[in-house]
Amino acid sequence: MPLNLATRITLARLLVIPVIVAVLSIDPSSQHRWWAVGLFLAAALTDWLDGYLARRLNQVTDLGKVLDPLVDKLLILVPLLLCIEWGEVPAWSVALILVRELGIASWRIHQSQIQGASVWGKAKTVSQILAVTLLLAPLPAPWHVPTMMVYGGAIALTLISGWTYLRSS
């Protein structure tokens, strides 16, 4: 079965993840971290694009419904794992995000009809993208507290959106 444009974009986003890891593993200097931020943001923007194209071109597929959210989760979690290695975030905080994401993904598999993202789910996604962007960026020391506040907000929205999803199912 040939892949449609939306699914190809999703797969391209997936392929950016190991490139981000490679860039940061080779040399986590300021220059490489800025490159990783650019790659991360470009990949994050394609999440909107592939969903828009799938709906607009009437190319929504079962593969896309499964692959897109999986790639979204990897795009967030892989950089956060690097942040654990760098000592920038505690492992427990990433574990909370991971448990929520895997829990909701597992729950969705057993639903007869998959719900679209709620306002809480969209806020979670935006906050996670912002938090990962700030964590990856080589910002000066005064940015540490605001970055941690954004990251804490992303964790809170991750848990709230998970709770509201389960309550509405």
Side-chain angles (χ1 to χ4, degrees), residues 34-163:
W34 282 120
W35 275 103
V37 167
L39 289 166
F40 173 77
L41 287 174
L45 288 174
T46 67
D47 178 32
W48 172 84
L49 179 63
D50 65 26
Y52 172 79
L53 289 173
R55 289 183 299 276
R56 180 87 169 144
L57 301 175
N58 198 26
Q59 294 181 346
V60 175
T61 65
D62 289 338
L63 176 61
K65 287 179 185 178
V66 172
L67 192 59
D68 183 68
L70 174 64
V71 173
D72 294 346
K73 288 160 187 30
L74 291 172
L75 184 63
I76 295 298
L77 288 165
V78 170
L80 288 177
L81 292 173
L82 291 171
C83 290
I84 292 171
E85 182 179 332
W86 298 337
E88 296 192 11
V89 297
W92 65 262
S93 66
V94 178
L96 284 177
I97 295 170
L98 179 64
V99 166
R100 183 272 186 209
E101 298 297 356
L102 291 178
I104 296 301
S106 299
W107 182 266
R108 281 185 172 153
I109 289 171
H110 301 312
Q111 301 303 304
S112 58
Q113 185 171 349
I114 297 175
Q115 302 178 54
S118 70
V119 67
W120 289 106
K122 291 176 183 180
K124 171 208 68 127
T125 300
V126 170
S127 70
Q128 287 178 344
I129 290 168
L130 180 57
V132 170
T133 299
L134 291 171
L135 287 164
L136 289 179
L139 299 172
W143 279 87
H144 178 73
V145 170
T147 297
M148 289 299 105
M149 291 174 67
V150 169
Y151 181 59
I155 294 168
L157 286 170
T158 298
L159 298 175
I160 291 167
S161 68
W163 174 252

Side-chain angles (χ1 to χ4, degrees), residues 1-19 43 46-47 50 61 63-64 66-72 74-75:
M1 165 201 316
L3 299 176
N4 65 35
L5 179 59
T7 302
R8 288 179 188 196
I9 292 170
T10 300
L11 289 173
R13 187 166 68 252
L14 177 63
L15 295 175
V16 169
I17 297 168
V19 174
T46 67
D47 178 32
D50 65 26
T61 65
L63 176 61
V66 172
L67 192 59
D68 183 68
L70 174 64
V71 173
D72 294 346
L74 291 172
L75 184 63

